């Protein structure tokens, strides 16, 4: 039912973002100047049928090969195409013909606008990525914007994404999460499903599924509580709280289950465009330029063995272990991004 309902809801029921009944598929994050400028170069019809819930724009994308899962009408794909530049590429995958028709109708318009063509779209189900002819370990970054909640077989999506990423690559995605498991019978409600609510993962299940797929240390980047202002929908979901969150998952063989302390540190060079003063790895790692910042072994690898390595100097190695970093546990991860921002003088792991 999930795929058919998604195709119907986003292809026929919704004619634009104004038809949504909740703010689940809405983006509230403030875009950077480069993102705002890039959005000006996206066709208005493409933007009118945008249903994302976050900004899926990780740092340092120049020349990257990007895969967009559930690319819809193409807004994120055309935005990212400008950031990766003519030597990078973006491939969008979507299963809704009406959305793909909008995306494909404006390919030449965007190529003329950008001065280069580096975007392609593939029709297909993101649960069956292995059947779409995509080459394993060929993508630097995979993004997804409020789509994984819509699919039934979520473990298949994470497992396929892990196979498609290059070593050191990352899955950077926004989606909707619940503070408990949503009752199974609500999944068959076409409105709750289409509004990205009944398919939302309980955060604990997400953590388990991501790790089983090979992403050993999921990192929360941003989160916000969601408002359900439609009385009928709110009544059906009474007692369940929802969060819109962005995570980054790295494909790194050496990541450990916990954040272990090896006495390591990094110094950020201030060389990532629009992040000259501070580099934010995640909600707990705001790394000030020029200042020694202690990190755990996992954070070290996320910087040293990825596209971020040229932007850092590295202190220490893995030769001596000092135990686990304090405060690295299994508590609910949400609600800490703004309340407890990372401080250079008292870093988390």
């Amino acid at each position: 039912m999930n795929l058919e309902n998604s195709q119907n809801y986003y292809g026929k029921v919704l004619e634009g973002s104004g038809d949504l009944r909740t703010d689940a598929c809405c983006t509230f994050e403030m875009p950077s100047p480069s993102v705002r400028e890039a959005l000006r170069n996206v066709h208005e019809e493409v933007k009118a049928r945008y249903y994302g819930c976050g900004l899926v724009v990780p740092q340092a994308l120049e020349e990257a090969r990007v895969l967009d899962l559930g690319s819809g009408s193409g807004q994120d794909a055309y935005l990212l195409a400008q950031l990766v530049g003519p030597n990078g590429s973006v491939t969008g995958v979507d299963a809704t013909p009406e959305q793909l028709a909008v995306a494909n109708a404006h390919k030449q318009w965007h190529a003329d606008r950008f001065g280069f063509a580096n975007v392609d779209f593939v029709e297909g189900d993101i649960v069956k990525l292995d059947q779409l002819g995509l080459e394993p370990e060929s993508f630097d970054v995979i993004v997804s914007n409020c789509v994984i909640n819509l699919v039934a077989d979520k473990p298949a999506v994470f497992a396929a994404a892990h196979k498609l990423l290059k070593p050191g690559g990352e899955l950077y995605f926004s989606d909707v999460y619940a503070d408990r498991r949503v009752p199974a019978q609500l999944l068959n409600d076409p409105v709750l499903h289409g509004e990205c609510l009944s398919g939302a993962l309980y955060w604990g299940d997400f953590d388990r599924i991501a790790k089983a797929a090979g992403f050993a240390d999921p990192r929360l980047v941003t989160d916000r509580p969601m408002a359900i202002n439609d009385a009928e929908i709110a009544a059906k979901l009474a007692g369940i709280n929802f969060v819109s969150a962005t995570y980054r998952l790295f494909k790194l063989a050496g990541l450990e289950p916990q954040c272990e302390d090896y006495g390591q540190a990094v110094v950020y060079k201030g060389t990532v465009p629009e992040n000259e003063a501070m580099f934010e790895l995640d909600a707990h790692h705001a790394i000030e330029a020029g200042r020694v910042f202690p990190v755990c072994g996992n954070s070290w690898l996320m910087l040293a063995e990825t596209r971020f390595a040229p932007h850092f100097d590295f202190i220490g190695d893995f030769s001596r272990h000092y135990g686990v970093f304090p405060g690295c546990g299994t508590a609910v991860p949400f609600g800490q991004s703004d309340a407890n921002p990372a401080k250079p003088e008292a870093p988390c792991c």
Side-chain angles (χ1 to χ4, degrees):
M1 176 264 185
N2 288 26
L3 177 59
E4 291 79 5
N5 187 66
S6 298
Q7 291 171 321
N8 181 66
Y9 204 76
Y10 290 94
K12 297 179 173 62
V13 175
L14 300 180
E15 295 184 2
S17 55
D19 295 329
L20 291 165
R21 295 173 60 179
T22 72
D23 72 358
C25 296
C26 301
T27 302
F28 291 88
E29 294 175 61
M30 180 61 68
S32 68
S34 66
V35 170
R36 291 198 297 270
E37 181 61 31
L39 284 171
R40 295 189 186 100
N41 294 325
V42 177
H43 196 281
E44 289 301 322
E45 185 180 7
V46 169
K47 290 191 283 189
R49 300 196 64 159
Y50 169 74
Y51 306 112
C53 60
L55 284 175
V56 288
V57 186
Q59 312 96 318
L61 286 174
E62 188 174 0
E63 298 188 1
R65 187 165 188 240
V66 177
L67 177 65
D68 183 2
L69 303 181
S71 52
S73 63
Q75 174 170 304
D76 287 330
Y78 287 124
L79 163 63
L80 294 166
Q82 299 170 73
L83 302 181
V84 303
N87 294 323
S89 67
V90 180
T91 300
V93 176
D94 203 89
T96 304
E98 292 86 349
Q99 289 280 75
L100 282 171
V102 173
N104 280 311
H106 302 295
K107 282 181 67 174
Q108 190 57 52
W109 186 93
H110 287 98
D112 293 341
R113 187 91 167 189
F114 304 162
F116 53 85
N118 64 348
V119 181
D120 286 302
F121 296 99
V122 177
E123 183 172 354
D125 185 353
I126 65 170
V127 171
K128 301 176 181 177
L129 288 171
D130 57 345
Q131 300 178 19
L132 301 183
L134 302 171
E135 184 180 353
E137 297 194 342
S138 63
F139 292 97
D140 300 291
V141 176
I142 297 177
V143 301
S144 182
N145 203 335
C146 214
V147 174
I148 295 176
N149 75 86
L150 296 171
V151 305
D153 192 352
K154 295 172 176 63
V157 178
F158 288 105
H162 191 272
K163 291 177 182 177
L164 290 171
L165 283 170
K166 298 176 182 178
E170 74 166 318
L171 170 58
Y172 189 97
F173 70 107
S174 296
D175 222 302
V176 178
Y177 299 87
D179 68 346
R180 65 199 69 186
R181 295 185 179 112
V182 179
Q185 66 269 21
L186 295 181
L187 189 59
N188 293 321
D189 186 306
V191 174
L192 295 184
H193 177 258
E195 293 284 332
C196 302
L197 296 169
S198 63
L201 270 171
Y202 164 54
W203 73 269
D205 289 337
F206 156 69
D207 188 74
R208 171 179 52 79
I209 291 169
K211 290 176 179 177
F215 298 109
D217 189 358
R219 294 293 179 93
L220 176 67
V221 180
T222 62
D223 66 283
R224 66 171 177 86
M226 282 174 37
I228 301 176
N229 299 317
D230 185 290
E232 179 183 353
I233 292 176
K236 292 180 179 180
L237 296 167
I240 306 173
N241 297 308
F242 294 89
V243 172
S244 175
T246 299
Y247 271 93
R248 68 188 333 159
L249 312 180
F250 290 94
K251 181 177 179 175
L252 290 166
L255 296 180
E256 298 184 87
Q258 295 195 90
C259 298
E260 304 292 347
D261 185 358
Y262 294 92
Q264 297 160 304
V266 298
V267 180
Y268 174 47
K269 299 178 182 179
T271 50
V272 176
E274 295 187 313
N275 296 263
E276 289 83 1
M278 189 87 70
F279 181 92
E280 295 186 12
L281 176 63
D282 54 47
H284 301 288
H285 295 77
I287 306 173
E288 187 178 0
R291 191 167 187 173
V292 175
F293 190 94
V295 292
C296 70
N298 283 359
S299 296
W300 168 284
L301 292 173
M302 291 174 186
L303 298 171
E305 295 189 2
T306 67
R307 67 186 187 281
F308 302 133
H311 303 286
F312 288 85
D313 290 323
F314 297 90
I315 301 169
D317 53 32
F318 287 88
S319 61
R320 186 171 181 180
H321 181 232
Y322 296 94
V324 69
F325 253 87
C328 292
T330 56
V332 175
F334 307 124
Q336 305 178 59
S337 300
D338 296 326
N340 298 299
K343 299 274 196 278
E345 64 270 23
C348 179
C349 56

